[in-house]
Amino acid sequence: MARHLVFHGTIIHCLSLQDLEIIEDGLVIVKPGGTISSLVKSIGRASVLSHLSTVGLSEEQCDVRFLERGQFLIPGFVDTHNHAPQWAQRGIGQGMHILDWLEKHTFPNEARFSDPEHARRVYASCVDGFLQQGITTASYYGSIHPEATNILADLCLEKGQRAFVGKCNMNRGAPDYYRDATAESSLSETQQCLAHTRRIDPEGKLIKYVITPRFAITCEDDLLAGLGEIAKSNPDLPIQTHFNEAEQEMSYTKKLFPTFENEVDLYDHFGLLTERSILAHCCYMSEYELQSFKELKCGVAHCPISNMTVGGGFMAAPVREFLRRDIKVGLGTDSGGGFSSSMLDAMRQALVASNAREVMSQGQDKGLLIPEVFYLATLGGARVCCLDEKIGNLAVGKEFDALLIDSKSSAPGIMTMVEDHDSMDLIFDKFIMTGDDRNIRNVFVRGRQVK
C-alpha cells in the first residue's frame, strides 16, 4: 500500500522574493501521488501522531520522519540553463572568448554524441550528478543528435528528474562535422524528439520538450522561422536560447542579422519570445530590451559562474534591475560554461556578481542577499520555467520536490560547524555559503526519493 510521507521539523522556503519563511516546528504531509496535502506551521513533536489521526491517517499509512536539530527541508533546486553534453567538459577552456571556446572545446565534445552509447554513458552520469546535488528540475540543451536527445529524456524519466529536454538546433556557424544538414532536417528531427517526449510522458508530469535554437549565430532565418511555427502550434512548450551573452557574440549576431537593432526584435520577429521563453545570460541589456522582457513576460536564466569564467570578460548581469522590474529570474549552472555543476556554487557566485554590479553601477544596483539567491534557485527558477504553480516552495497543493538537509553530515571542516547557540536562520546561512552535496541527505521529486 502506498504510504503518505510525513516530516516534522524545520521547513525553509520562499513565499516570494521578499519573504523567506522558516518554520521550526512544522509538519508536512505528502500524499502517495507526490502532492503536499498539509503544512502545519506550529505543532509539537508529541502531537504529530494524534494530528495524523484527526486528518484520517493511521500510523500504518504513513512514513513519519522526525528531523533533528540542524536538519531541515527546503524545496528542490531549479537549474534554468544547462548543457547536458557538456557534463564531461566542465572546467575546460576557462578564460576563453565564447566563440573560440565553442570552436576549440565545445563543438568537438558535443559531436561525440552521435554515438548513442557515449550519450547514454555521459547522460546517465549527468542526471545522477545533478540529482546528487539537489537539482530536481533542469532545463537541458541536448546535442544536435535526435537519438541522443531521446536518450537524455528517457534517462531523466527513469531516474525521476523533472526536466525540459531539447535537441539543439544549429545549421550554420559551426564546423561541418557538427551542424544540422539543413533547416528542414533540423525541424524534422525536432518534431521527432517532441513526439518521443510526448510518447514517454504524455501528460508532461516530469518531462517536456523545449524548443532549443542554440542562438541566432548558429541558425539561419528559415530555421528560426520554422521553430517559431512549432512554438505557435504548441503554446505549452517552453523555448530556450542564449541572449546577449558576450560582446563578441552580440557583435557577430548584428553582422549576421543587420536588419535587427537588437536580439529582442530578432527573436520576437521569429515568434520565439513568449512567457515560456528562458533566455540565458542577458549580461548586457538596454532600456528597450528590459521593457520588452517585462511586456513579453520572458524569463532570465542567470549563470554567474560561466559569465565570469568563459565569454571574454567579467560579465555581471543586471539581476537587481530584473528583480526591480519583476522580470522573472532564476539561476543556471551552465554546466561546461563554468567550473561547477553545483547550485550552491551558483548562489554564491550570484552574490559575488551582484556585489561587482553594485560597484559598476555606483551603488544603484544593490548586492543580493542570501534569501534572495535562495529564491532565485527555487521559486524564482520555477517562475522562469512556468512551473511555479507546481513547484518552487512547499506550499499545500504543490508537488513535493524537496531536499532534506543535514547540516552536520559533511566531514569536519567542510561546512561551517553548527554550534549550540546558533539560530536556525544562521544554520541556514552556513549551509548556503559553505555546505555541499554531502549535506543533502535525501532528494525527492514528486514525492519519490531519488537520492
Side-chain angles (χ1 to χ4, degrees), residues 1-249:
M1 180 179 66
R3 295 160 67 86
H4 291 69
L5 290 177
V6 179
F7 298 87
H8 176 268
T10 299
I11 299 151
I12 304 176
H13 62 173
C14 290
L15 302 179
S16 68
L17 174 65
Q18 296 82 17
D19 192 357
L20 176 72
E21 184 174 50
I22 299 179
I23 305 167
E24 295 203 37
D25 285 300
L27 181 71
V28 176
I29 302 175
V30 183
K31 295 189 292 187
T35 301
I36 299 170
S37 61
S38 179
L39 174 59
V40 181
K41 296 190 177 183
S42 181
I43 182 171
R45 179 170 180 157
S47 302
V48 169
L49 295 182
S50 61
H51 176 80
L52 293 177
S53 178
T54 64
V55 295
L57 294 174
S58 66
E59 191 172 352
E60 291 73 26
Q61 291 176 288
C62 300
D63 178 5
V64 182
R65 303 191 189 188
F66 292 99
L67 306 187
E68 301 172 1
R69 172 176 159 77
Q71 296 180 333
F72 51 94
L73 282 178
I74 63 173
F77 297 142
V78 180
D79 189 345
T80 59
H81 181 71
N82 192 312
H83 292 268
Q86 295 174 19
W87 175 255
Q89 70 169 88
R90 289 167 295 150
I92 296 174
Q94 304 294 280
M96 297 181 69
H97 283 268
I98 185 68
L99 300 184
D100 301 326
W101 174 78
L102 288 169
E103 181 179 357
K104 182 174 181 180
H105 296 293
T106 302
F107 291 155
N109 170 65
E110 292 189 12
R112 299 175 65 196
F113 286 77
S114 60
D115 176 2
E117 289 310 308
H118 175 77
R120 193 177 309 279
R121 179 175 62 85
V122 174
Y123 285 159
S125 175
C126 172
V127 177
D128 285 343
F130 282 113
L131 287 173
Q132 177 77 12
Q133 296 176 96
I135 293 175
T136 53
T137 298
S139 188
Y140 285 123
Y141 288 60
S143 66
I144 68 170
H145 312 102
E147 185 173 1
T149 302
N150 291 342
I151 287 170
L152 176 58
D154 291 343
L155 286 166
C156 290
L157 185 63
E158 173 190 326
K159 294 175 180 295
Q161 187 180 45
R162 191 185 302 274
F164 295 166
V165 178
K167 169 200 144 42
C168 200
N169 299 103
M170 43 188 290
N171 69 335
R172 69 164 171 188
D176 290 342
Y177 66 81
Y178 189 61
R179 68 169 76 171
D180 293 320
T182 64
E184 291 74 18
S185 67
S186 185
L187 294 168
S188 174
E189 290 170 351
T190 297
Q191 294 282 18
Q192 293 171 30
C193 292
L194 169 57
H196 176 83
T197 302
R198 286 180 169 163
R199 184 165 55 252
I200 64 171
D201 191 0
E203 298 179 44
K205 290 181 178 179
L206 279 184
I207 313 301
K208 293 203 76 169
Y209 189 80
V210 53
I211 298 169
T212 308
R214 188 177 204 115
F215 51 7
I217 287 173
T218 57
C219 298
E220 294 178 344
D221 292 46
D222 51 353
L223 178 52
L224 291 173
L227 293 172
E229 286 300 314
I230 293 175
K232 183 179 179 181
S233 301
N234 299 273
D236 64 308
L237 293 185
I239 303 163
Q240 62 183 357
T241 193
H242 299 77
F243 190 97
N244 287 8
E245 178 176 2
E247 291 178 336
Q248 184 187 36
E249 169 262 323

Side-chain angles (χ1 to χ4, degrees), residues 262 264-265 268 273-277 279 285-300 322 325-328 383:
N262 52 70
V264 162
D265 289 346
D268 191 36
L273 294 187
T274 74
E275 67 176 352
R276 296 187 180 277
S277 297
L279 304 175
M285 300 293 294
S286 67
E287 176 64 27
Y288 173 75
E289 289 167 325
L290 288 166
Q291 290 178 0
S292 298
F293 271 35
K294 176 62 176 174
E295 292 168 4
L296 294 165
K297 301 180 180 179
C298 302
V300 174
F322 294 141
R325 296 171 185 250
D326 195 30
I327 294 169
K328 298 180 294 185
R383 285 189 68 207

